[in-house]
Amino acid sequence: ALRAGLRAGRGMLAGATRLLRARKAAAPGEGADTTGQDLAEMVRPGDTLLILGSPWFRTDYAELLKQVRERCRLRVAMLVYDLIPFARPEYCDPGLVRTFQAWFTGTIPLVDRFFAISRASARDLERYARSTRLTLAAPVAVLPIGTGFGGNGGRLPLPAVTPPRVAALPPGFVLLVSTIEARKNHLLAFRAWRRLAEMLPAEQLPTLVFAGRVGWMVADLMQQLENCGWLGGKIQLLEDPSDEELAALYAGCRFTLFPSHYEGWGLPVTEGLAFGKTCVASSATSVPEAGGSFCLYHDPENVLEAVAILRRLIAHPAEVADIEARIRRDFQPTPWSATAKALLAALEE
């Protein structure tokens, strides 16, 4: 969904750029720019330019958007995923924080309608607007977010043969799906597993699987994991899993773990729920919106609280089975078509 939104945003940005480019005669020997269509020729009264991507990397975006809006008499709507560079700058590159802040403060006054992917993101946006004395033209509309994978109730079809990297994992593993970056709080997961390894016999402690690519601001964590031999093999990394591997991981895990400090939504939580798996999850920001009553929550700063929950689930598989039965009975996956319909309905208000 994020990739599709980014592609859509890039397409709209390219169209707007073509609109504003002066139509000069081609110099001798050079071809004229004939790609695309002038946006002014396409729009009709009441049309909305919908921004779904991530255009904050364009330092001239606010000026570009202002000219497009004035020339074409368009309404502008924008989808906000999160405000991490404002809310948690400690997890971002300083240059990104400056770029994002300049882009956002210049863009907010030009947007007629904001959408957000969670109530937490909507609150962050409204809080930021108040703190900077920027006025939102309308209340932020919160969209229902699709449950992970497209189709099949949010699940990908399980491969006929378990992918080799998944088949090689010890049975009964616990799963943490995420890019390994500081904000996602893999450090808490490591510390929790370190404590559990001191409490439980090795045969009772399940393997914790990190599924995702290695990202940024985690050099110390990765070095610690290397130094301890990935906790004697009780933590394993499956880098860049394919969709088939992800489906097999979700289907084969005991439960999932998601201790993130800050999220705009929390797709790995709902992906796991779509496969009938509960999650030991962070109680911060939007994660409880994603997990509802089907997860067990802890403060993302509190290792001991997380350890208590994890130890209980490991020692009492019947409790996990009871939660999974309730998930199968009561959890209602959200199709991405419902997200699209809600977006279209809000645009027509």
Side-chain angles (χ1 to χ4, degrees):
L2 294 175
R3 284 195 296 267
L6 183 57
R7 286 195 297 270
R10 286 173 177 165
M12 288 184 285
L13 183 60
T17 302
R18 287 193 293 270
L19 166 67
L20 296 174
R21 186 180 293 126
R23 293 177 172 273
K24 298 180 180 179
E30 296 180 353
D33 179 12
T34 58
T35 59
Q37 183 179 357
D38 193 323
L39 190 61
E41 298 172 359
M42 301 169 60
V43 299
R44 299 291 182 270
D47 280 357
T48 298
L49 177 64
L50 176 60
I51 303 168
L52 297 175
S54 302
W56 52 263
F57 58 90
R58 286 291 301 257
T59 56
D60 61 342
Y61 191 80
E63 181 60 28
L64 176 66
L65 187 60
K66 180 180 179 181
Q67 293 182 46
V68 169
R69 183 180 177 186
E70 291 175 353
R71 180 176 176 186
C72 299
R73 299 293 188 266
L74 282 167
R75 296 174 69 247
V76 177
M78 177 180 288
L79 177 61
V80 173
Y81 296 93
D82 57 64
L83 294 181
I84 295 170
F86 293 146
R88 298 295 170 87
E90 62 269 29
Y91 298 126
C92 303
D93 178 84
L96 183 151
V97 174
R98 290 191 296 270
T99 300
F100 188 89
Q101 184 168 10
W103 167 78
F104 204 63
T105 54
T107 301
I108 279 184
L110 303 174
V111 177
D112 300 289
R113 189 71 188 276
F114 277 102
F115 301 97
I117 63 172
S118 65
R119 293 190 297 274
S121 288
R123 287 193 299 268
D124 283 349
L125 174 56
E126 291 165 348
R127 187 181 301 115
Y128 178 76
R130 288 193 302 270
S131 69
T132 54
R133 302 182 187 279
L134 292 169
T135 301
L136 301 180
V140 181
V142 178
L143 300 179
I145 296 302
T147 306
F149 296 119
N152 194 28
R155 296 187 298 272
L156 278 175
L158 288 174
V161 178
T162 302
R165 292 200 297 173
V166 180
L169 296 172
F173 59 87
V174 175
L175 179 64
L176 197 171
V177 175
S178 169
T179 298
I180 301 178
E181 55 166 298
R183 175 174 59 89
K184 299 294 187 177
N185 208 10
H186 290 72
L187 180 59
L188 177 139
F190 171 44
R191 289 176 173 171
W193 241 251
R194 162 66 76 185
R195 286 181 175 269
L196 289 168
E198 296 169 352
M199 297 175 175
L200 301 173
E203 65 273 12
Q204 293 182 19
L205 179 63
T207 298
L208 174 61
V209 176
F210 291 165
R213 67 183 178 88
V214 179
W216 50 95
M217 298 176 64
V218 289
D220 287 352
L221 169 63
M222 301 307 293
Q223 187 63 59
Q224 291 170 36
L225 288 166
E226 290 290 339
N227 290 351
C228 70
W230 290 78
L231 206 56
K234 283 298 181 179
I235 300 178
Q236 296 191 26
L237 172 62
L238 198 154
E239 288 195 76
D240 297 314
S242 66
D243 283 350
E244 290 76 15
E245 287 175 323
L246 274 178
L249 285 167
Y250 279 122
C253 71
R254 185 179 302 196
F255 54 85
T256 67
L257 182 62
F258 196 68
S260 179
H261 288 289
Y262 182 99
E263 290 295 316
W265 177 241
L267 278 177
V269 176
T270 52
E271 286 176 352
L273 291 175
F275 281 85
K277 305 294 181 174
T278 191
C279 184
V280 178
S282 163
S283 60
T285 61
S286 64
V287 179
E289 291 182 56
S293 63
F294 303 104
C295 300
L296 302 175
Y297 297 101
H298 64 88
D299 185 323
E301 304 284 353
N302 194 327
V303 177
L304 293 180
E305 187 179 10
V307 167
I309 297 171
L310 291 164
R311 187 176 184 183
R312 192 177 85 231
L313 291 187
I314 292 169
H316 299 92
E319 181 178 355
V320 177
D322 288 344
I323 297 172
E324 289 181 348
R326 188 163 61 84
I327 292 170
R328 290 192 296 271
R329 183 181 69 244
D330 298 334
F331 177 68
Q332 297 295 323
T334 300
W336 283 107
S337 58
T339 308
K341 289 176 182 177
L343 176 60
L344 291 173
L347 286 171
E348 292 172 357
E349 291 177 357

